[in-house]
Amino acid sequence: MGRPTTRWHMPAEWQTHEQTWMAWPSHGYTLGDTEAEADEARRTWANVARAVAAFEPVTLVVQPRDIHECREYLRNDTAHPIDIVLADLDDAWMRDIGPTFVLGPQGELGGVDWVFNGWGAQAWASWEHDARVAAQVADASGAHHLPSPIVNEGGGLHVDGRGTVLLTETVQLDPGRNPGATKADIEAEVGPLLGVDTFIWLPRGLTRDYDEFGTRGHVDIVATFTEPGRVLLHWQEDESHPDHAVCRELEQVLLAASDSAGRSLQVTRIPAPTALTDEEGPVDWSYVNHLVCNGGVVACVFDDPNDERALQVLREVYPGREIVGVDARPLFDRGGGIHCITQQEPLSA
């Protein structure tokens, strides 16, 4: 099916969802080397799915061999159903391997299928199966399949639903993703698919994200819109952490920017956890990496003294929503957070 000529737009994450999509961890580094590590991964993915299903339906893409195991971890006592779609997988980061859902002028559903190549053809990544997941999920959801020729991931963008998008120069312009591409090239492709005309390019992401298993700067652990004109920014308060300088650089870029309506952005800082390092070096634990659901927010927590401070910020920027924390340390140990393993499908016609 060719791409329709419809003018698409990506709704903001806080607009009403039909459901949230996830994928079940099946093998590789996500499961780890021991049964205890595999159990930890499965329990964490299940905890996120169950937390989201308190607010809206969830559908998981699951390897056929894992369906019974998956059901055991999920249980069957959530307020909204958790359904299963069978497909082969390499990994379980649905934000990046799944479609970016958009709507047409009559409310029709589209699924943007970016080229996925393992976060810039990383040496440790495999993507034979994951490269097909976006098309499979689009088909399962009844969306128009909208293939794009550029390499991109859902974690590499955030929209305000009103014509403005946050991007990162080290992601979309990464030579491992789109060699030789210019900002103009990316904007010409992204603009019509997401319905945006204003592009705010952040120069980089958090420090840890450039290590071996990082994404090279995904925006969804750094900054996100919480309403048109307002951005929530990860804020490292400790001068000994390299992200202390990064966050201040990003804040200046955001404060100098205007959105599609011509407004200067208001920036709300959300503190980073007090934990600064793990055995691999400076952590990129982030409360920015949350999922806004129907009536709620599923947020990362880290058994950290700053958890309650951050949850209070989320209550203030998302008034009227229930804020639920899920321990995200096992996710970040594997390279991402709650937003990274979820992908919202907006309510469509």
Side-chain angles (χ1 to χ4, degrees):
M1 180 183 210
R3 182 187 299 176
T5 57
T6 307
R7 172 71 177 187
W8 301 98
H9 80 278
M10 182 180 178
E13 194 170 305
W14 56 81
Q15 293 177 250
T16 306
H17 300 176
E18 180 73 34
Q19 61 180 326
T20 285
W21 288 81
M22 297 179 62
W24 187 248
S26 55
H27 54 261
Y29 75 95
T30 304
L31 286 187
D33 298 321
T34 67
E35 186 52 41
E37 290 174 342
D39 176 66
E40 178 185 61
R42 293 166 183 143
R43 281 189 290 105
T44 304
W45 259 258
N47 288 343
V48 173
R50 290 172 52 78
V52 175
F55 300 103
E56 62 190 58
V58 174
T59 299
L60 276 106
V61 178
V62 181
Q63 290 260 50
R65 68 170 184 266
D66 295 331
I67 184 169
H68 298 299
E69 163 200 276
C70 175
R71 284 177 169 154
E72 288 177 3
Y73 278 90
L74 292 173
R75 305 196 298 276
N76 190 28
D77 57 354
T78 50
H80 297 274
I82 302 178
D83 293 326
I84 288 174
V85 169
L86 299 180
D88 290 325
L89 294 164
D90 295 293
D91 220 320
W93 306 99
M94 181 54 80
R95 178 68 49 177
D96 297 341
I97 66 177
T100 296
F101 285 106
V102 294
L103 296 177
Q106 306 303 317
E108 58 270 48
L109 185 66
V112 180
D113 182 0
W114 313 108
V115 176
F116 179 73
N117 74 344
W119 302 277
Q122 306 254 26
W124 48 266
S126 61
W127 57 90
E128 174 189 0
H129 303 303
D130 285 352
R132 297 194 290 265
V133 167
Q136 293 167 325
V137 169
D139 180 65
S141 65
H144 291 278
H145 181 221
L146 307 175
S148 171
I150 67 170
V151 178
N152 197 14
E153 302 98 33
L157 58 93
H158 262 309
V159 300
D160 68 351
R162 302 285 184 85
T164 309
V165 63
L166 296 174
L167 302 168
T168 314
E169 293 177 10
T170 55
V171 174
Q172 286 81 15
L173 304 182
D174 175 16
R177 288 177 167 96
N178 299 297
T182 65
K183 288 182 180 178
D185 295 331
I186 299 300
E187 291 174 3
E189 176 66 17
V190 169
L193 284 172
L194 301 187
V196 297
D197 56 22
T198 301
F199 305 83
I200 299 175
W201 288 91
L202 301 183
R204 58 161 297 134
L206 299 183
T207 302
R208 178 68 167 266
D209 208 14
Y210 295 87
D211 286 357
E212 180 182 4
F213 295 105
T215 71
R216 301 174 186 155
H218 269 188
V219 74
D220 71 350
I221 61 171
V222 180
T224 184
F225 290 106
T226 58
E227 60 181 275
R230 186 178 293 275
V231 172
L232 188 67
L233 176 65
H234 178 82
W235 196 252
Q236 177 53 252
E237 297 171 327
D238 193 300
E239 294 183 3
S240 70
H241 194 295
D243 287 336
H244 181 269
V246 171
C247 296
R248 282 146 185 81
E249 177 187 8
L250 299 181
E251 184 179 53
Q252 292 307 305
V253 173
L254 291 167
L255 290 174
S258 299
D259 68 9
S260 183
R263 291 171 295 210
S264 297
L265 298 179
Q266 299 180 44
V267 176
T268 299
R269 301 169 177 176
I270 188 166
T274 61
L276 300 177
T277 61
D278 62 13
E279 61 274 10
E280 303 296 330
V283 297
D284 58 358
W285 295 358
S286 172
Y287 301 106
V288 170
N289 197 268
H290 55 269
L291 177 72
V292 184
C293 302
N294 293 340
V297 174
V298 179
C300 298
V301 292
F302 304 94
D303 192 24
D304 187 272
N306 273 354
D307 283 354
E308 183 50 40
R309 285 182 63 198
L311 293 177
Q312 183 57 35
V313 172
L314 293 176
R315 294 183 191 106
E316 292 168 1
V317 299
Y318 297 114
R321 293 181 185 269
E322 181 182 355
I323 312 298
V324 175
V326 176
D327 188 350
R329 289 173 294 177
L331 295 175
F332 277 84
D333 286 347
R334 291 159 172 81
I338 288 172
H339 196 257
C340 306
I341 68 170
T342 56
Q343 177 64 270
Q344 73 276 2
E345 177 191 329
L347 185 65
S348 65

